[in-house]
Structure formats: structure tokens, C-alpha cells
């Protein structure tokens, strides 16, 4: 073969060799799967005022205790502990009835700060509850009875001449109220796990959704125009030195107020809520039988809760 012929043959083979090389490199690496398509936008975007945010209801709320019932469950736990402690001669302060607070809502700070009245006092700090009974400072004897172990960590067997149940009063109450937890004696198992998974998944998916990212961008620009920098409402205020202090400072309060104002101007809460609701509706539609079982479980839990409260002394 002459030199000229070899050159012509090399030119003809070059594109083929390049193609084979590309194919060979990619054959061992599978292409990344495409991102799942967002669910259909079936939930209308609301434009809630700050006072109306707590009234919004995500689809998963139909399968959970209501804020009132959640407050009742926490109060019942505290009440039964106080009854147990009373049997040993110790009095613990407790509100006479359940107190529903903003934190009992599923949407409490789910989309960041939303209440202009609260942030004007607390900034990014969690507000302190004025209506709740002040937390009691327990004596060593009370603390030992509550937890069922002494200061050295050894199991407490008696208090004021009476036998102490395993785990103390709190352990006894936990056992008494085990049937009130989702899934009965196995909280977090079976259908009850579904609600938590759905909430977590819809939240993470909504944050990555283009519709939410777009409104995040407009919110961030609004914050930047006021002199504050934050990529999204979840991380807003996290870098402020005052957030680790007992009380917010003036700079924190100003940023928190701007945060809420920018949410209102961009309707961030309305958009984010609608997008997350879309994801939850899609998840529920994919597992109708599992969610039907979850609703039955929730109804049974609510019924047991009402029975336990009615059976309290003086109830």
C-alpha cells in the first residue's frame, strides 16, 4: 500500500474510530435518569393575609390529628403525669384545659416566618407561650420520681414509702398512652409512617420545584433591596449572631420584619403552599388504599384520645 493510499484510508477510518471511542466511553456509564416531572398544578394559588396562613390546610392534614387534638394529646400526657406525681405527694402546675398554640399547626413556620406581630417581638426566635403554665423547677426527689431513676442514674424503686413504676411517672404514662400513638404500640410503623414520609417528601420536592424556586428568587431580591441576604426563607436569619442569644436584637427583628413583608409582596406562602399541596395530592392518589387505612387509624386515635380525656378524674 502506497503512502498516499494509507493516508486516504486513515482519513476514511478516523470518523468511525471516533464514533467507536465515544460509544465505548459511554457504554459503561448509564445516563442520569430524568428528573421526575412536577405534578399537575391542580391547587389554586391562594393569597393569604398573615392572619390567614394558619387556616390553610395541606391535603395530608386530612390524615392527621387536628391542631386541637394535638394540643389535647400533649395536655393529657402532662395531666396524667401530674396525677401520678400527686399520688406520691408532689404537686405539679398544669393548665386546667388544653391550650392550642400556633406551634400546634402543621403550617407553623413551615414556610418560614409569616406573623408580623410575632416577629416584631421575637424576630427569628420561637415565641414564648404566655398562656401556658410556667414550667416547674423540679426538686431532686420530684425529678427522680418523674424519670424513675435517682441522681446516680440507678432505678428508683420507692418514693415516700410507695413503689415506683418502671420508668417513673413518665414511663407509666407513656405505657398508658401507647395506644394513642399512631400505629398503636408501634409508633412510626405501618400506615402511620406514611403521613410523615409524605410530609417530608412533599416539602423537599416543593423546594426543588421551578415554581417555588422562581418565587424564592423574587423574595431574595426583595430582601436584597432592603439590605439583607438570604437564599431562601428556610435559611433566612441562620447566620445572625443574635439567633443563639436568649432574646433577639434590633437587627434581627428588622430582618425578620422584612422577611415577612417580602413574603407578602411576592405571595411566597401562597405559591409554596399550592405547589406542596400538588405534590401531596399526587402522592395520595398513587396509594388510595394506604391513605384510606391511615384515615381509619387517625379516626381511631382521635376516639381513644377523647375517651382518655373523658375518663380523667372530674372529666
Amino acid at each position: 500500500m502506497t503512502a498516499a493510499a494509507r493516508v486516504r484510508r486513515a482519513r476514511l477510518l478516523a470518523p468511525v474510530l471516533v464514533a467507536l471511542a465515544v460509544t465505548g466511553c459511554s457504554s459503561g456509564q448509564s445516563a442520569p435518569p430524568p428528573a421526575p416531572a412536577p405534578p399537575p398544578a391542580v391547587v389554586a394559588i391562594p393569597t393569604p393575609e398573615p392572619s390567614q396562613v394558619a387556616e390553610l390546610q395541606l391535603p395530608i392534614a386530612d390524615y392527621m390529628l387536628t391542631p386541637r387534638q394535638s394540643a389535647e394529646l400533649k395536655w393529657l400526657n402532662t395531666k396524667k403525669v401530674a396525677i401520678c406525681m400527686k399520688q406520691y405527694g408532689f404537686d405539679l402546675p398544669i393548665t386546667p384545659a388544653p391550650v392550642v398554640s400556633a406551634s400546634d399547626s402543621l403550617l407553623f413556620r413551615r414556610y418560614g416566618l409569616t406573623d408580623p406581630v410575632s416577629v416584631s417581638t421575637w424576630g427569628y426566635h420561637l415565641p414564648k407561650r404566655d398562656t401556658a403554665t410556667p414550667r416547674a423547677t423540679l426538686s431532686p426527689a420530684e425529678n427522680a420520681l418523674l424519670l424513675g431513676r435517682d441522681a446516680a442514674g440507678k432505678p428508683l424503686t420507692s418514693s415516700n414509702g410507695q413503689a415506683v413504676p418502671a420508668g417513673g411517672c413518665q414511663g407509666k404514662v407513656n405505657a398508658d398512652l401507647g395506644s394513642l400513638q399512631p400505629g398503636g404500640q408501634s409508633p412510626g410503623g405501618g400506615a402511620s409512617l406514611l403521613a410523615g414520609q409524605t410530609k417530608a417528601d412533599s416539602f423537599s420536592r416543593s423546594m426543588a420545584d421551578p415554581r417555588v424556586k422562581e418565587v424564592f428568587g423574587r423574595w431574595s431580591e426583595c430582601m436584597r433591596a432592603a439590605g439583607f441576604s438570604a437564599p431562601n426563607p428556610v435559611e433566612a436569619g441562620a447566620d445572625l449572631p443574635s439567633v443563639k442569644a436568649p432574646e433577639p436584637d434590633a437587627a434581627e427583628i428588622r430582618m425578620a420584619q422584612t422577611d415577612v413583608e417580602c413574603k407578602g409582596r411576592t405571595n411566597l406562602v401562597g405559591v409554596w403552599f399550592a405547589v406542596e399541596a400538588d405534590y401531596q395530592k399526587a402522592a395520595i392518589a398513587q396509594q388510595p388504599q394506604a391513605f384510606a387505612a391511615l384515615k381509619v387509624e387517625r379516626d381511631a386515635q382521635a376516639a381513644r384520645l377523647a375517651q382518655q380525656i373523658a375518663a380523667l378524674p372530674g372529666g
Side-chain angles (χ1 to χ4, degrees):
M1 182 181 292
T2 64
R6 284 196 296 270
V7 170
R8 287 196 299 273
R9 184 171 185 271
R11 289 175 177 172
L12 291 172
L13 289 176
V16 176
L17 294 175
V18 170
L20 290 174
V22 172
T23 303
C25 289
S26 62
S27 62
Q29 299 178 354
S30 59
V42 297
V43 177
I45 297 176
T47 54
E49 296 292 331
S51 61
Q52 298 172 323
V53 172
E55 299 173 8
L56 297 175
Q57 182 166 299
L58 287 167
I60 195 64
D62 289 337
Y63 304 87
M64 301 171 58
L65 293 179
T66 66
R68 175 72 186 179
Q69 290 167 335
S70 296
E72 289 175 343
L73 182 55
K74 289 187 290 186
W75 177 82
L76 178 62
N77 185 301
T78 305
K79 178 70 173 178
K80 290 180 77 71
V81 166
I83 291 173
C84 176
M85 299 285 286
K86 181 70 172 179
Q87 294 172 349
Y88 293 84
F90 299 112
D91 287 314
L92 296 185
I94 178 175
T95 56
V99 177
V100 183
S101 69
S103 61
D104 292 310
S105 168
L106 174 59
L107 291 184
F108 177 70
R109 295 203 173 188
R110 189 170 184 83
Y111 307 131
L113 304 178
T114 58
D115 182 2
V117 176
S118 175
V119 301
S120 66
T121 300
W122 299 108
Y124 287 94
H125 283 63
L126 287 175
K128 297 178 182 178
R129 295 177 60 173
D130 297 329
T131 57
T133 300
R135 179 175 296 179
T137 301
L138 301 183
S139 68
E142 290 172 329
N143 194 64
L145 175 60
L146 176 67
L147 302 177
R149 57 178 180 269
D150 60 22
K154 296 180 180 180
L156 185 71
T157 57
S158 66
S159 177
N160 287 340
Q162 300 181 67
V164 174
C169 281
Q170 187 62 70
K172 178 179 183 299
V173 171
N174 289 344
D176 291 345
L177 301 183
S179 65
L180 286 179
Q181 301 304 321
Q185 296 289 345
S186 302
S192 63
L193 184 61
L194 189 57
Q197 287 178 331
T198 302
K199 285 192 300 177
D201 186 63
S202 65
F203 185 82
S204 62
R205 286 178 179 270
S206 68
M207 282 198 68
D209 189 283
R211 295 166 289 178
V212 173
K213 284 187 172 182
E214 190 274 335
V215 78
F216 279 180
R218 290 191 284 115
W219 172 86
S220 293
E221 181 58 35
C222 178
M223 293 287 286
R224 189 159 41 250
F228 301 104
S229 176
N232 59 61
V234 175
E235 300 177 52
D239 295 334
L240 293 174
S242 62
V243 297
K244 297 181 180 179
E247 306 286 343
D249 60 15
E252 177 184 335
I253 290 176
R254 283 197 302 272
M255 182 175 182
Q257 290 173 324
T258 303
D259 184 340
V260 174
E261 291 170 2
C262 287
K263 283 191 177 81
R265 293 175 186 173
T266 60
N267 194 29
L268 183 146
V269 173
V271 172
W272 197 353
F273 166 83
V275 170
E276 185 173 18
D278 286 339
Y279 280 101
Q280 290 188 2
K281 278 185 171 291
I284 293 168
Q286 289 173 358
Q287 303 183 71
Q289 293 182 337
F291 277 95
L294 181 57
K295 183 170 287 189
V296 170
E297 184 179 278
R298 186 281 314 272
D299 291 345
Q301 182 190 11
R304 291 192 297 268
L305 173 61
Q307 291 169 357
Q308 286 264 10
I309 292 177
L312 288 172

